[in-house]
């Protein structure tokens, strides 16, 4: 009985360690990707909007959001 319990504990610990190492490898892989490249070409730059604040509120309420 105790031998089976130890065996299950060891298997569980090994699987947990393998899972954790796999998560660390995936994290390192995705950490190197630069997600926020500046827009290129005809991309619309949202944060440099030319509309006034009052116009934006009117559009917001007109759209019903």
């Amino acid at each position: 009985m105790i031998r089976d319990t130890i065996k299950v504990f060891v298997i569980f610990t090994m699987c947990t360690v393998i899972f954790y190492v796999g998560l660390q490898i995936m994290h390192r892989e995705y950490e190197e990707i630069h997600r926020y490249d500046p827009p290129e070409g005809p991309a619309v730059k949202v944060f440099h909007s030319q509309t006034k604040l009052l116009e934006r509120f009117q559009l917001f309420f007109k759209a019903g959001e």
Side-chain angles (χ1 to χ4, degrees):
M1 177 81 172
I2 293 178
R3 184 176 178 164
D4 290 338
T5 305
I6 291 173
K7 189 187 306 183
V8 168
F9 178 75
V10 169
I11 291 173
F12 176 76
T13 304
M14 287 175 33
C15 289
T16 303
V17 168
I18 291 170
F19 179 72
Y20 181 73
V21 169
L23 285 178
Q24 284 184 332
I25 291 170
M26 287 188 344
H27 176 70
R28 269 188 257 126
E29 180 72 28
Y30 284 111
E31 195 174 48
E32 295 175 4
I33 296 174
H34 187 67
R35 299 184 324 190
Y36 302 111
D37 291 331
E40 298 175 0
V44 177
K45 294 174 178 62
V46 177
F47 50 88
H48 292 294
S49 178
Q50 298 296 326
T51 59
K52 304 286 185 208
L53 185 62
L54 182 60
E55 293 174 8
R56 290 186 63 123
F57 273 123
Q58 288 173 345
L59 180 64
F60 179 77
F61 289 123
K62 189 184 287 186
E65 294 184 9

